[in-house]
Amino acid sequence: MSDILSLREHNLHKVRVGERTMMLHIPTNALYGIDEMTDTVLERVRAESLSADQLVQQLRGRFDEQDLRETVGELLTLDLLSDGRPKPAAKPVTTVGNLAINTVVLNVNTGCNLSCTYCYKEDLDTPDKGRRMSLETAKQSIELMLAESPNEKRFSVVFFGGEPLSNIKLIRAVVDYCEERFAQLGKQVDFVMTTNATLLTDEIVDWLDAHRFGLSISMDGPEAIHDRNRRTVGGKGTYRTVSDKARKLLARYNARPVGARVTLTHGTTEVERIWDHLFNELGFAEVGFAPVTSGDIDTFNLSVDELHEVFAGFKRLGERYLSEALQGRTTGFSNLHQLITDLHEGQRKALPCGAGLKMLAVDHEGGLNLCHRFTGSSLPTFGDVKTGIEKEALGEFLDQRLDRTGTGCETCRIRNFCAGGCYHESYARYQDPIHPTYHYCELMRDWVDFGIGVYSEIMAKNPSFIDRFISPRKVH
């Protein structure tokens, strides 16, 4: 090994966690704890030009020579070091293979009984003008999903709106149809719904519980915060109704953990206060935050300073998360939950989410949309439930996002965590769903580093937390 060594900077990232150094192997998203010898080798190669033999000669007084040579060999294999010899070029993933649609989102009604000021839905209607999906369209959606993915074992049917419970009659009929149909095929089906909770009754709650719905409640926090934007069509605040319904739901719902989804808009950065109210006072199992930075109405977008304040709050919540995790308890902070899940499973994202690849959203007329956020938007649909998926157009769209050439994602250290960010964020901010969400980049890189630190501490001091609180999330 006489060729000059060089460091493959774009393939590694080190994070200091207490007295330990963790290394993220960027191509695979694998996380390693590195010892003093490995760290010394990397830093020596970074500092000066030398061959492997010269490196070993310099360091063999501190470390065993055989161990040094083995370490250099391992780092060459991982493509963290290069000795100048050509290697087969790793072919970047730039095309999508077969689609495997296992999730369908049914936009069951465009009507909503609320008029949330920040709502992104372009097909939203008032209750009396809501356009409802027919049972036939819903059935065709299910059959399309089954036909496209015959080898899948487990499927999800998501009910969305508007307010989905405003079309509870259809939801009941779809559940009856699915349970019989999937049982015939020997396959599993899960039901998921996001609701504003205002139309929940004890009878509906018990029915949802019996069919094991995964439920997420849209709620923005304590009364003063929630009522800023989540109002009725007549302009009245909805906190008291939603909180009363949520308490009743949480008291009698046993099938699955119920989460709260929080939208953070301009003027709303108090993430710790919001989390405390929703988790400790109301009792939601998880609380997830969605910062608005690319809404169609600019007045609701968080400013740059506010976005930094939100992420600072996330990290303070994360410190509390870590403290509780080391005691075997969870704070239900789902943003960090998800990051730790990705780290633990070694998730490597070529695309930001399953939209178009494993999931499609069906609008009330049967059009196939990239996801629920795009129903009613100017982005063309990719076929419909009657004629099928326009696979060529969908494949071309996804291939464009897969190709990172000439983008900041090409060498970014978290490129396999976010894969360029949300399509709809890009669509709203840049009028182009292919465009990376650059306004998040530095904050997201710092957030991933923070997550690496939290995950490493948990694995070192209380790994049973992962088995108890992280791994089961995939089962639900």
Side-chain angles (χ1 to χ4, degrees):
M1 292 191 288
S2 58
D3 296 304
I4 299 299
L5 297 173
S6 61
L7 195 63
R8 303 280 284 170
E9 296 275 8
H10 65 285
N11 283 343
L12 70 95
H13 175 62
K14 295 194 298 181
V15 179
R16 191 72 177 170
V17 180
E19 298 300 314
R20 293 172 294 130
T21 301
M22 305 300 295
M23 181 184 69
L24 178 67
H25 184 243
I26 295 170
T28 62
N29 267 10
L31 193 62
Y32 300 93
I34 57 175
D35 57 21
E36 181 187 0
M37 180 174 61
T38 303
D39 199 23
T40 302
V41 168
L42 292 171
E43 291 307 310
R44 188 62 59 91
V45 172
R46 175 180 275 124
E48 60 181 301
S49 297
L50 71 175
S51 68
D53 289 336
Q54 290 171 328
L55 176 69
V56 170
Q57 289 297 319
Q58 285 188 14
L59 298 178
R60 66 179 182 177
R62 292 177 58 188
F63 307 106
D64 179 80
E65 181 174 342
Q66 184 61 33
D67 289 344
L68 281 167
R69 293 190 181 278
E70 288 178 0
T71 296
V72 170
E74 290 169 358
L75 294 174
L76 287 167
T77 300
L78 289 170
D79 202 23
L80 299 177
L81 293 182
S82 172
D83 58 6
R85 287 178 285 189
K87 294 182 179 180
K91 186 177 181 180
V93 179
T94 57
T95 58
V96 173
N98 295 327
L99 304 178
I101 305 298
N102 59 16
T103 301
V104 63
V105 183
L106 303 180
N107 195 55
V108 299
N109 189 4
T110 63
C112 186
N113 60 328
L114 300 191
S115 183
C116 302
T117 52
Y118 52 60
C119 186
Y120 60 81
K121 293 288 289 178
E122 296 184 48
D123 57 351
L124 193 70
D125 294 310
T126 55
D128 59 320
K129 294 182 179 179
R131 292 158 288 169
R132 296 171 182 254
M133 177 179 286
S134 69
L135 179 57
E136 182 59 28
T137 297
K139 287 181 178 179
Q140 289 172 333
S141 304
I142 304 302
E143 293 303 325
L144 175 68
M145 178 172 63
L146 287 169
E148 286 296 329
S149 308
N151 297 322
E152 292 288 312
K153 302 295 185 184
R154 190 166 191 160
F155 296 81
S156 293
V157 177
V158 182
F159 298 100
F160 212 81
E163 169 48 43
L165 286 177
S166 63
N167 199 359
I168 185 63
K169 181 179 178 181
L170 174 65
I171 294 174
R172 289 179 183 271
V174 171
V175 169
D176 288 343
Y177 178 78
C178 286
E179 289 182 338
E180 180 178 354
R181 184 78 174 95
F182 284 82
Q184 290 172 348
L185 299 171
K187 298 179 184 292
Q188 291 182 283
V189 59
D190 294 313
F191 303 111
V192 179
M193 181 167 61
T194 299
T195 172
N196 62 35
T198 59
L199 301 179
L200 288 172
T201 65
D202 289 349
E203 188 271 335
I204 289 176
V205 169
D206 291 344
W207 182 81
L208 296 170
D209 191 47
H211 296 280
R212 294 188 50 77
F213 267 67
L215 295 177
S216 181
I217 307 300
S218 297
M219 193 171 184
D220 286 352
E223 185 169 6
I225 296 175
H226 178 92
D227 283 350
R228 286 177 193 168
N229 296 307
R230 300 195 66 80
R231 305 169 187 161
T232 65
V233 174
K236 294 182 179 179
T238 61
Y239 172 82
R240 295 191 179 184
T241 297
V242 174
S243 60
D244 286 347
K245 300 277 188 176
R247 284 190 175 94
K248 291 179 180 179
L249 168 70
L250 294 167
R252 66 192 296 144
Y253 201 79
N254 300 306
R256 297 165 71 173
V258 179
R261 183 193 182 280
V262 179
T263 302
L264 297 173
T265 56
H266 178 59
T268 306
T269 60
E270 302 162 88
V271 294
E272 292 162 288
R273 178 185 171 199
I274 293 169
W275 165 83
D276 183 61
H277 179 69
L278 297 176
F279 184 78
N280 289 322
E281 295 178 21
L282 291 186
F284 283 101
E286 289 196 13
V287 179
F289 296 87
V292 174
T293 62
S294 304
D296 292 332
I297 305 175
D298 289 342
T299 54
F300 294 109
N301 292 339
L302 294 163
S303 68
V304 172
D305 288 343
E306 287 177 324
L307 193 56
H308 279 81
E309 188 175 341
V310 164
F311 272 84
F314 280 3
K315 290 169 77 171
R316 290 191 297 270
L317 263 183
E319 294 290 352
R320 191 178 313 194
Y321 179 105
L322 173 60
S323 177
E324 292 295 300
L326 297 182
Q327 300 299 316
R329 298 184 293 266
T330 178
T331 64
F333 178 26
S334 65
N335 299 69
L336 188 52
H337 249 5
Q338 187 58 55
L339 177 55
I340 289 177
T341 301
D342 290 344
L343 286 164
H344 184 66
E345 295 179 351
Q347 290 282 2
R348 182 180 181 276
K349 295 180 181 178
L351 291 167
C353 65
L357 188 64
K358 289 187 172 293
M359 176 193 76
L360 287 171
V362 185
D363 58 41
H364 70 284
E365 294 181 320
L368 298 173
N369 300 263
L370 192 62
C371 78
H372 58 281
R373 289 174 171 248
F374 284 101
T375 57
S377 75
S378 61
L379 188 73
T381 55
F382 296 98
D384 60 63
V385 295
K386 293 180 181 178
T387 60
I389 303 171
E390 293 178 0
K391 294 181 181 179
E392 184 175 350
L394 182 56
E396 287 177 358
F397 174 88
L398 296 175
D399 288 349
Q400 288 180 65
R401 188 55 177 267
L402 279 170
D403 187 358
R404 297 164 170 169
T405 306
T407 71
C409 305
E410 193 171 9
T411 57
C412 176
R413 69 174 186 257
I414 64 166
R415 58 186 178 269
N416 294 327
F417 280 98
C418 81
C422 172
Y423 298 117
H424 192 266
E425 285 257 346
S426 299
Y427 165 79
R429 190 177 186 90
Y430 304 104
Q431 293 75 54
D432 178 7
I434 302 300
H435 197 293
T437 52
Y438 290 135
H439 59 294
Y440 265 131
C441 292
E442 283 303 323
L443 287 169
M444 285 303 299
R445 282 190 279 265
D446 183 61
W447 177 240
V448 170
D449 283 0
F450 178 81
I452 288 172
V454 171
Y455 173 68
S456 301
E457 287 287 277
I458 291 172
M459 288 300 291
K461 298 176 181 177
N462 188 18
S464 64
F465 174 86
I466 301 295
D467 296 329
R468 185 177 177 189
F469 293 107
I470 298 299
S471 298
R473 297 177 83 236
K474 202 163 187 177
V475 177
H476 287 300

